[in-house]
Amino acid sequence: MLPDQLKHCLNTFYDSGLPITVLTGAGVSAESGIPTFRGKEGYWQIGSTNYQPQEIGTFHMFRRQPEEVWKWYLFRRTVCHQSSPNAGHMAIVELEKIFGDRFTLITQNVDGLHLRAGNSLERSYLVHGTLEYVRCSKGCTRELFPFPDGIGDKSRETDLTEEEKRILTCPYCGDWTRPHILWFDEYYDEDYYRFESSMKQALETGLLITIGTSGATTLPVRVVEVVLSREVPLIDINIAPNVFGRSAEKSGNGFFLQGSSGTILPEIVQHISLRISDHPGT
């Protein structure tokens, strides 16, 4: 059950007419069975050496071992495709339906589950990219290409066929394509990762809900810092205490709700829906 103070906060926000921003991280996808790939599920073996995601997910490694990096991402993509949106994803879709143009989703997740659940691409900022697109690794064009047909599900052990290698080449220059993912040795920008748009949203939003993110990457941290500096309410939902939850509680007008997004978000949606039915036309 939502605390009374939070219910009052949601009522006040809804009546304000201000924008709402939802910021999601790997915890939302974990509820669909997708590993975070930062633990034991994340390692990747090349020869006799084990590598962690921070080593595999880099442009430097891609230039050295393009096939191995592609194999890892194709395995990741398979795991994502075998998963389905959960109740947390569906509740975020309902928030977009309720708030319409007032709604923006900023997600760190690259699995595509938010869009599969029904969130619109127009109101979704994929700040770490998506496994559903590729682009030229050489940079001969800025164009994004939909993930090509002809590549099936992959296990850890599956090698690329010669035909798959051909499919994973740029149609313009013939070099490798790469996953449209923000790698660990790269930087946010606006064209690919909506950096400026996300910061603009932080300056305008009237409520920020952070879900399943530990605050380990730069852009989410910046967004939260800007929102808190404006004394805007922050609601953090996470299965474990974290820096965003502590910041929310310390701010004086924020909330940390410990639990799963699939349990807590539907309660928030239900409360807002009741508010609408009790105050039609507000």
Side-chain angles (χ1 to χ4, degrees):
M1 182 176 295
L2 302 179
D4 288 340
Q5 283 183 303
L6 175 56
K7 292 178 181 179
H8 176 72
C9 174
L10 291 171
N11 292 345
T12 301
F13 164 73
Y14 179 80
D15 295 343
S16 72
L18 293 170
I20 180 173
T21 304
V22 176
L23 170 61
T24 64
V28 178
S29 297
E31 292 179 38
S32 290
I34 298 177
T36 63
F37 293 99
R38 287 179 180 268
K40 63 181 181 179
E41 294 291 337
Y43 79 90
W44 192 257
Q45 191 172 51
I46 302 177
S48 60
T49 304
N50 286 338
Y51 292 89
Q52 292 299 315
Q54 295 88 335
E55 299 168 296
I56 287 287
T58 67
F59 186 72
H60 176 71
M61 178 64 82
F62 183 82
R63 273 310 183 199
R64 289 174 52 206
Q65 300 273 4
E67 288 187 43
E68 289 295 334
V69 173
W70 257 123
K71 282 170 60 179
W72 187 63
Y73 277 100
L74 291 174
F75 167 63
R76 287 193 65 184
R77 188 171 183 272
T78 297
V79 173
C80 295
H81 274 203
Q82 292 175 348
S83 302
S84 299
N86 60 60
H89 290 106
M90 303 313 297
I92 295 170
V93 173
E94 290 303 310
L95 288 174
E96 179 171 352
K97 291 178 180 177
I98 290 170
F99 289 102
D101 290 341
R102 292 172 60 185
F103 174 90
T104 297
L105 170 65
I106 301 174
T107 183
Q108 301 165 247
N109 300 333
V110 301
D111 49 52
L113 289 181
H114 283 301
L115 300 183
R116 283 168 57 191
N119 284 115
S120 68
L121 183 59
E122 294 75 19
R123 299 192 184 104
S124 301
Y125 297 167
L126 313 180
V127 297
H128 287 173
T130 172
L131 290 167
E132 297 308 305
Y133 284 86
V134 303
R135 66 183 200 256
C136 179
S137 65
K138 189 178 180 181
C140 77
T141 174
R142 298 279 294 177
E143 183 178 353
L144 298 181
F145 309 114
F147 189 88
D149 296 329
I151 300 178
D153 289 350
K154 297 289 185 181
S155 70
R156 285 181 177 272
E157 293 76 28
T158 312
D159 289 325
L160 296 178
T161 67
E162 291 303 315
E163 175 62 13
E164 288 169 339
K165 294 176 191 177
R166 184 193 66 78
I167 291 172
L168 293 171
T169 57
C170 173
Y172 295 119
C173 71
D175 206 325
W176 284 97
T177 56
R178 53 164 286 177
H180 177 52
I181 301 293
L182 179 67
W183 279 332
F184 286 97
D185 56 352
E186 296 179 323
Y187 300 94
Y188 293 103
D189 66 13
E190 174 62 17
D191 288 347
Y192 285 149
Y193 305 115
R194 306 300 297 272
F195 178 82
E196 284 83 4
S197 294
S198 296
M199 297 311 301
K200 183 174 184 289
Q201 190 66 24
L203 289 167
E204 297 177 351
T205 196
L207 174 67
L208 175 63
I209 304 177
T210 55
I211 311 163
T213 177
S214 61
T217 54
T218 305
L219 180 53
V221 170
R222 292 274 301 274
V223 168
V224 169
E225 287 175 347
V226 169
V227 166
L228 291 176
S229 73
R230 297 177 49 233
E231 300 183 350
V232 168
L234 167 64
I235 301 171
D236 181 64
I237 301 170
N238 206 307
I239 60 171
N242 66 95
V243 63
F244 288 166
R246 290 190 290 272
S247 296
E249 293 184 321
K250 186 177 179 180
S251 71
N253 64 341
F255 304 86
F256 170 56
L257 306 178
Q258 186 165 1
S260 71
S261 65
T263 300
I264 296 172
L265 278 173
E267 293 184 24
I268 290 176
V269 170
Q270 181 182 38
H271 177 78
I272 294 172
S273 298
L274 288 173
R275 177 69 175 180
I276 295 171
S277 63
D278 290 341
H279 298 78
T282 301

